[in-house]
Amino acid sequence: MEYYNKVIESVNVRFIRGNNFHVEKPVTISDYSESDNTLILLHHGTIKFGEDQELLNEGEVLFLPAEQKTKLTIGGSPKKTELDKEQFQENKKKYLQSISFRDIKNTEDDCLSIVGFESKVFDVVNFFNSLDIPPFIIRFNDRLATIIEDLMKEVEVSNVGKERALRSHTELLVIELLRHILKNRLFLEELSTNATYFKDPRLIDLFNYIKTNLGGDLSNKVLAKVANVSEDYVGQYFKMLTGINPQDYIEYQRMEAAVELLRTTKKSIRDIGKEVGYKDTAYFCRRFKMMYGVPAGKMRRRESLINV
């Protein structure tokens, strides 16, 4: 149990999207997938997935790990169109129309809710994707369905603390999902064999050191001392366990910290750059724009408008 508590504590969760849909026309998508982890709650109607077209009952949830492809049928009519993912995305409004959560409760038409979330270990390893588990149905779990419904209600309002509430609901969602996996003894072998980053204290030391020293020297020479490995090996070691180069991970963390400072402080862009480890302001601004597609100053103005 202690091991799995450690797993949950190490997974950072972020809400990505939440949508309610009314099914306009039945459709089968031959290679459906999403870039983020996705939960589909069926309120009314029919959903089938996989090559065997396993049936999802009303009130049950389908979990699709990020990037995992599956054959997905939405709607129960025998007359349905079959498309690939690209064709479906181009014509999505023909098959799915947005609907409010309140209206879902007042109709018996085919409806579903879709929640997308990110779950990364120390902000780098896509947790569920790294386990290489297939899509699966979550049955007999009213708690999970209720959390999704509460989250969808929050999506549609503009109350104070909305962002924090969405984050809290999403964290509860992931905890309940992991509890369901453990309770039903699903994918335990994948959990124990693939989650190598939970087992190596040197890697955890590296993550913690980077997080608390973003403004300092994070060269491979320094990281090697933290992990007690050679400077020549530390990059290979880090990438072997996480799939990413340490310096790429460090830049991502620095830029995420910069975004947070832009959102929450009035510090100058120059000071923010220095605080997250960039001595050269011009270089910081170039890298920021390359990563996010907008200049740091424009992002600050956009965040200010959003938060008015």
Side-chain angles (χ1 to χ4, degrees), residues 157-224:
V157 299
S158 298
N159 290 338
V160 172
K162 176 177 177 176
E163 293 301 319
R164 182 131 186 201
L166 289 174
R167 185 167 67 247
S168 297
H169 285 313
T170 308
E171 287 178 347
L172 284 174
L173 207 59
V174 173
I175 290 171
E176 190 60 36
L177 179 57
L178 284 168
R179 285 177 175 174
H180 180 88
I181 288 172
L182 294 173
K183 180 181 178 181
N184 292 279
R185 304 190 66 78
L186 303 172
F187 317 117
L188 294 186
E189 184 177 346
E190 288 87 344
L191 274 169
S192 62
T193 57
N194 291 18
T196 52
Y197 29 82
F198 300 121
K199 301 175 182 178
D200 194 327
R202 295 175 299 174
L203 187 60
I204 293 173
D205 287 344
L206 279 175
F207 283 133
N208 289 331
Y209 186 84
I210 290 168
K211 185 176 182 179
T212 55
N213 292 276
L214 285 177
D217 181 3
L218 293 174
S219 63
N220 279 6
K221 183 177 181 179
V222 171
L223 299 182

Side-chain angles (χ1 to χ4, degrees), residues 37-71:
N37 302 297
T38 300
L39 290 163
I40 301 177
L41 170 61
L42 178 62
H43 297 285
H44 310 295
T46 301
I47 290 178
K48 299 177 182 178
F49 82 102
E51 290 305 314
D52 297 332
Q53 290 290 272
E54 187 176 354
L55 180 66
L56 183 71
N57 296 312
E58 293 182 2
E60 294 180 340
V61 178
L62 175 62
F63 176 52
L64 304 170
E67 306 296 349
Q68 286 279 6
K69 293 181 180 180
T70 189
K71 183 177 182 180

Side-chain angles (χ1 to χ4, degrees), residues 210-263:
I210 290 168
K211 185 176 182 179
T212 55
N213 292 276
L214 285 177
D217 181 3
L218 293 174
S219 63
N220 279 6
K221 183 177 181 179
V222 171
L223 299 182
K225 290 181 179 178
V226 173
N228 196 26
V229 298
S230 71
E231 184 178 348
D232 292 336
Y233 178 65
V234 69
Q236 179 185 341
Y237 163 76
F238 192 95
K239 187 172 183 177
M240 178 177 64
L241 293 181
T242 67
I244 188 173
N245 292 316
Q247 294 306 319
D248 290 340
Y249 171 72
I250 289 165
E251 179 165 54
Y252 171 79
Q253 291 299 312
R254 283 174 163 162
M255 288 300 177
E256 286 290 284
V259 170
E260 186 64 18
L261 289 169
L262 285 168
R263 294 180 60 188

